[in-house]
């Protein structure tokens, strides 16, 4: 796939949950003592302002008709790695980009409440917008001091700074690589700050991170 001017061939998308304290508080979740990660599937990925498709399965079902936005800083793996020390983390990172972890929230909560995996709520087609470019590490001195925000229809919903991440990028890469061999092009999303909220068909999402840029995606209802 192509992100801006860069071609990557990811084998997986790994996302961190509960990595901003303000987001932990707004979801009434316990503060983790180590990184919490889950996987999104490649069918979620979209680029170049393509629309986010709101599934009819969710829209027409009162039990599931809540879909949320979550803006995140992501980094792209540069070369295959396993059991990486945090001291050498940046040797394995190609650069940074914006990622949206779109989530079917009611479905996620329902699945959690009955002790089922919440895999399906994260992995509908188009639920992983990414872009607009991969900015090389050399062009961002400190990825832990970037303003991050998201607007829906021009109204600010999320606004924070990556300095508020609970687990920093070297620690994240060291932890994940203990369990998973990472390949060139793999995507690691570092979690979302507070302000998550619902989106509906017709909305326009504008997500921005300092020194990286902005992605804009319209939300469309799935067609028959």
């Amino acid at each position: 796939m192509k992100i801006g001017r860069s071609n990557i061939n990811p084998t997986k998308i790994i996302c961190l949950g509960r990595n901003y304290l303000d987001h932990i508080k707004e979801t009434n979740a316990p503060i983790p003592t180590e990184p919490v990660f889950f996987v999104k599937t490649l069918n979620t990925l979209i680029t170049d302002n393509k629309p986010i498709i709101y599934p009819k399965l969710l829209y027409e079902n009162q039990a599931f008709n809540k879909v949320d936005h979550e803006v995140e800083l992501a980094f792209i793996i540069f070369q295959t790695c396993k059991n990486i020390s945090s001291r050498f983390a940046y040797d394995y990172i190609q650069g940074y980009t914006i990622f949206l972890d779109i989530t079917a929230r009611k479905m996620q909560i329902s699945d959690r409440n009955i002790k089922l995996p919440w895999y399906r709520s994260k992995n509908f087609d188009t639920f992983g917008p990414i872009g607009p470019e991969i900015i090389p590490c050399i062009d961002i001195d400190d990825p832990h001091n970037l303003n991050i925000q998201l607007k829906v229809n021009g109204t600010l919903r999320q606004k924070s700074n990556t300095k508020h991440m609970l687990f920093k990028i070297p620690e994240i890469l060291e932890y994940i690589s203990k369990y998973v061999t990472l390949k060139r092009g793999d995507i690691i999303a570092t979690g979302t700050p507070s302000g998550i909220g619902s989106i509906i068909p017709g909305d326009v999402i504008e997500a921005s991170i300092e020194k990286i840029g902005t992605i804009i995606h319209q939300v469309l209802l799935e067609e028959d």
Side-chain angles (χ1 to χ4, degrees), residues 12-188:
K12 50 192 163 293
I13 310 160
I14 297 178
C15 301
L16 252 69
R18 292 185 278 163
N19 200 32
Y20 284 78
L21 288 175
D22 55 358
H23 174 58
I24 294 169
K25 291 177 181 177
E26 77 175 346
T27 56
N28 296 313
I31 297 173
T33 57
E34 57 188 30
V36 176
F37 71 88
F38 60 92
V39 174
K40 288 185 78 117
T41 46
L42 298 180
N43 63 295
T44 64
L45 290 174
I46 54 170
T47 60
D48 299 326
N49 307 117
K50 292 183 176 67
I52 297 166
I53 304 302
Y54 196 121
K56 280 194 169 184
L57 171 69
L58 303 176
Y59 188 77
E60 295 176 349
N61 188 332
Q62 186 67 32
F64 294 145
N65 64 349
K66 187 177 192 298
V67 173
D68 285 359
H69 57 74
E70 301 182 22
V71 61
E72 311 195 6
L73 173 69
F75 60 92
I76 310 299
I77 297 299
F78 178 65
Q79 56 184 321
T80 298
C81 56
K82 184 74 163 64
N83 294 317
I84 299 304
S85 167
S86 60
R87 292 179 298 158
F88 305 113
Y90 294 107
D91 294 339
Y92 295 88
I93 297 174
Q94 176 181 344
Y96 307 99
T97 193
I98 301 168
F99 185 76
L100 287 178
D101 175 19
I102 305 300
T103 304
R105 188 69 65 197
K106 282 186 178 181
M107 179 175 282
Q108 182 190 40
I109 293 170
S110 174
D111 287 347
R112 278 177 167 168
N113 286 344
I114 56 176
K115 310 299 183 183
L116 289 177
W118 39 273
Y119 176 92
R120 60 179 180 160
S121 63
K122 293 284 188 178
N123 287 303
F124 287 94
D125 294 344
T126 75
F127 272 28
I130 192 169
E133 298 278 353
I134 299 172
I135 305 301
C137 293
I138 196 171
D139 293 335
I140 295 181
D141 293 334
D142 184 3
H144 305 108
N145 188 22
L146 301 173
N147 292 321
I148 179 171
Q149 69 174 36
L150 181 141
K151 296 179 180 178
V152 176
N153 303 327
T155 299
L156 188 64
R157 292 273 190 90
Q158 294 184 268
K159 183 177 182 181
S160 188
N161 188 286
T162 56
K163 67 184 178 183
H164 298 301
M165 284 196 293
L166 184 61
F167 302 104
K168 308 304 184 188
I169 287 170
E171 188 177 2
I172 292 168
L173 183 53
E174 179 177 295
Y175 185 84
I176 292 174
S177 70
K178 288 179 184 178
Y179 301 98
V180 180
T181 297
L182 299 168
K183 300 285 189 177
R184 181 182 178 94
D186 284 352
I187 300 161
I188 314 293

